[in-house]
Amino acid sequence: DPMVVEACRAYLPENACRLDDRRVHLHYENALRFIRRCEAKYDLIIVDSDPFGPSEGLFTREFYGNCYNALKEDGIMVNQQGSPFYAEDAHAMQRSHKRIASTFQISRVYQAHIPTFAAGTGCLDLPAKNIIRDDLDAEAWNALNLRTRYYTTRLHKGAFYLPAFLEDMLKEVEE
């Protein structure tokens, strides 16, 4: 939709400048229908949505299966899971993680500080077909001298260390 692109250019110019990159392709359509037509096409699929309301279809076993098929053999997915601190969200997270873990060979949950979430923190599921690289080369990354306001290699490693209550919630649905 050209209006969406122009709105991005007007209100998010630092991000919208990447819309001109030849590798960027915007598909403004129903995600459920779109992903059904894709096979072994993507390295990465990111789902940033809520498991309630109009986007509930993006948290189904069918959708995860379609995403699995749309990923290349070494593809990964990132799925926003919400905050584990509220009962309704925690239940939705368990339901979603169970569906993901039964679809993908590998699924790891990590945490992130998300100020727009009421609890200030949220979880994301990182499913993969056959590999999630655990060999972060912190030395090589730090040698790039990229300064960010959020990311550090220590934070990267720490994001995958979950509190006991969260590990228990996930184990409960994985078994």
Side-chain angles (χ1 to χ4, degrees):
D1 184 338
M3 288 178 48
V4 172
V5 171
E6 289 313 310
C8 288
R9 290 186 198 288
Y11 298 107
L12 304 166
E14 295 84 16
N15 295 335
C17 67
R18 297 295 178 219
L19 294 174
D20 297 323
D21 188 307
R22 64 177 174 74
R23 298 169 295 180
V24 173
H25 305 280
L26 295 178
H27 300 276
Y28 192 74
E29 60 183 291
N30 181 296
L32 296 168
R33 283 193 292 259
F34 176 82
I35 203 70
R36 284 184 193 126
R37 301 188 308 258
C38 302
E39 189 160 332
K41 185 173 183 175
Y42 296 104
D43 297 310
L44 172 66
I45 295 174
I46 300 172
V47 179
D48 184 12
S49 194
D50 295 316
F52 308 107
S55 59
E56 282 183 55
L58 303 180
F59 292 83
T60 62
R61 198 177 306 272
E62 177 194 359
F63 180 71
Y64 297 136
N66 289 328
C67 288
Y68 181 93
N69 293 335
L71 287 168
K72 293 179 182 175
E73 192 56 35
D74 60 349
I76 61 171
M77 181 174 163
V78 176
N79 192 72
Q80 192 256 106
Q81 295 285 46
S83 175
F85 296 109
Y86 302 106
E88 188 177 18
D89 292 345
H91 179 69
M93 182 188 72
Q94 282 184 299
R95 186 177 59 238
S96 176
H97 181 69
K98 181 176 184 170
R99 293 171 181 166
I100 288 171
S102 70
T103 303
F104 286 83
Q105 286 84 343
I106 301 167
S107 180
R108 294 191 49 205
V109 172
Y110 66 99
Q111 301 179 97
H113 300 284
I114 305 173
T116 56
F117 278 19
T121 189
C123 293
L124 297 105
D125 215 311
L126 182 66
K129 284 181 138 180
N130 65 31
I131 188 169
I132 294 179
R133 296 189 59 172
D134 287 334
D135 60 346
L136 170 68
D137 188 343
E139 210 171 287
W141 170 265
N142 292 329
L144 295 172
N145 288 318
L146 298 173
R147 297 290 170 235
T148 67
R149 294 184 62 191
Y150 182 79
Y151 180 83
T152 68
T153 54
R154 291 181 316 284
L155 182 67
H156 180 111
K157 290 177 186 176
F160 290 94
Y161 292 106
L162 304 176
F165 82 93
L166 187 49
E167 285 182 348
D168 291 344
M169 284 175 55
L170 297 172
K171 284 179 192 169
E172 202 175 289
V173 297
E174 289 173 352
E175 297 167 351

